[in-house]
Amino acid sequence: EQFTGSRASLRWSHLILGLERNLLAEEIQERNTLRVRVIKNRLVGKTGFLDLIYDEESGYLTEEGFILT
Protein backbone atom coordinates (compact mmCIF):
# COMPACT_ATOMS: atom_id res chain seq x y z
CA GLU A 1 0.00 0.00 0.00
CA GLN A 2 1.25 3.42 -0.87
CA PHE A 3 0.33 6.63 0.90
CA THR A 4 -0.08 9.55 -1.44
CA GLY A 5 -0.38 13.22 -0.59
CA SER A 6 -1.52 14.92 2.59
CA ARG A 7 -4.96 13.24 2.55
CA ALA A 8 -3.51 9.80 3.25
CA SER A 9 -4.28 10.18 6.96
CA LEU A 10 -7.94 10.76 6.15
CA ARG A 11 -8.14 7.74 3.86
CA TRP A 12 -6.34 5.20 6.05
CA SER A 13 -7.13 6.30 9.63
CA HIS A 14 -9.87 4.69 11.67
CA LEU A 15 -9.89 7.41 14.32
CA ILE A 16 -8.85 11.05 13.99
CA LEU A 17 -8.72 13.31 17.05
CA GLY A 18 -8.20 17.07 17.20
CA LEU A 19 -6.97 19.00 20.26
CA GLU A 20 -8.07 22.62 20.82
CA ARG A 21 -7.23 25.17 23.49
CA ASN A 22 -7.85 28.91 23.92
CA LEU A 23 -4.57 30.30 25.25
CA LEU A 24 -5.75 33.90 24.94
CA ALA A 25 -8.86 33.56 27.13
CA GLU A 26 -9.17 35.99 30.03
CA GLU A 27 -10.58 33.43 32.48
CA ILE A 28 -8.14 30.86 33.86
CA GLN A 29 -10.67 28.00 33.68
CA GLU A 30 -11.22 28.63 29.97
CA ARG A 31 -7.44 28.77 29.37
CA ASN A 32 -7.04 25.45 31.20
CA THR A 33 -9.77 23.72 29.16
CA LEU A 34 -8.63 21.26 26.52
CA ARG A 35 -11.23 20.23 23.93
CA VAL A 36 -10.69 16.79 22.41
CA ARG A 37 -12.68 16.58 19.18
CA VAL A 38 -13.47 13.26 17.47
CA ILE A 39 -13.22 14.20 13.80
CA LYS A 40 -13.54 10.73 12.31
CA ASN A 41 -14.61 7.42 13.87
CA ARG A 42 -14.93 4.48 11.52
CA LEU A 43 -15.71 1.96 14.26
CA VAL A 44 -19.09 3.40 15.31
CA GLY A 45 -19.40 6.49 13.10
CA LYS A 46 -20.16 8.91 15.94
CA THR A 47 -18.25 12.16 16.34
CA GLY A 48 -18.31 14.87 18.98
CA PHE A 49 -16.10 16.48 21.56
CA LEU A 50 -14.97 16.14 25.15
CA ASP A 51 -13.79 18.95 27.40
CA LEU A 52 -10.96 18.25 29.83
CA ILE A 53 -10.19 20.75 32.60
CA TYR A 54 -6.61 20.98 33.89
CA ASP A 55 -6.25 21.41 37.67
CA GLU A 56 -3.04 23.34 38.35
CA GLU A 57 -2.81 22.18 41.98
CA SER A 58 -3.10 18.42 41.38
CA GLY A 59 -1.84 18.29 37.78
CA TYR A 60 -4.83 16.14 36.74
CA LEU A 61 -7.25 16.50 33.85
CA THR A 62 -10.94 16.21 34.78
CA GLU A 63 -13.57 15.14 32.26
CA GLU A 64 -16.30 17.74 31.76
CA GLY A 65 -18.62 15.78 29.47
CA PHE A 66 -18.86 14.15 26.05
CA ILE A 67 -21.21 15.58 23.44
CA LEU A 68 -22.07 13.47 20.39
CA THR A 69 -22.90 15.15 17.10
Side-chain angles (χ1 to χ4, degrees):
E1 296 176 29
Q2 183 178 11
F3 288 359
T4 57
S6 62
R7 293 189 177 188
S9 63
L10 292 175
R11 291 177 78 198
W12 299 103
S13 298
H14 290 277
L15 180 68
I16 298 177
L17 300 174
L19 304 175
E20 305 171 8
R21 213 172 133 208
N22 185 358
L23 297 174
L24 302 176
E26 291 184 23
E27 293 183 25
I28 250 181
Q29 172 138 359
E30 190 177 346
R31 264 196 319 253
N32 288 340
T33 300
L34 173 68
R35 177 160 284 180
V36 180
R37 189 174 298 274
V38 179
I39 299 169
K40 179 179 180 180
N41 185 351
R42 280 194 184 171
L43 184 63
V44 293
K46 295 185 179 181
T47 60
F49 61 89
L50 166 72
D51 285 339
L52 299 173
I53 310 294
Y54 176 71
D55 183 356
E56 293 178 355
E57 289 182 22
S58 68
Y60 289 112
L61 289 170
T62 307
E63 182 180 335
E64 188 67 21
F66 185 68
I67 299 174
L68 292 173
T69 56

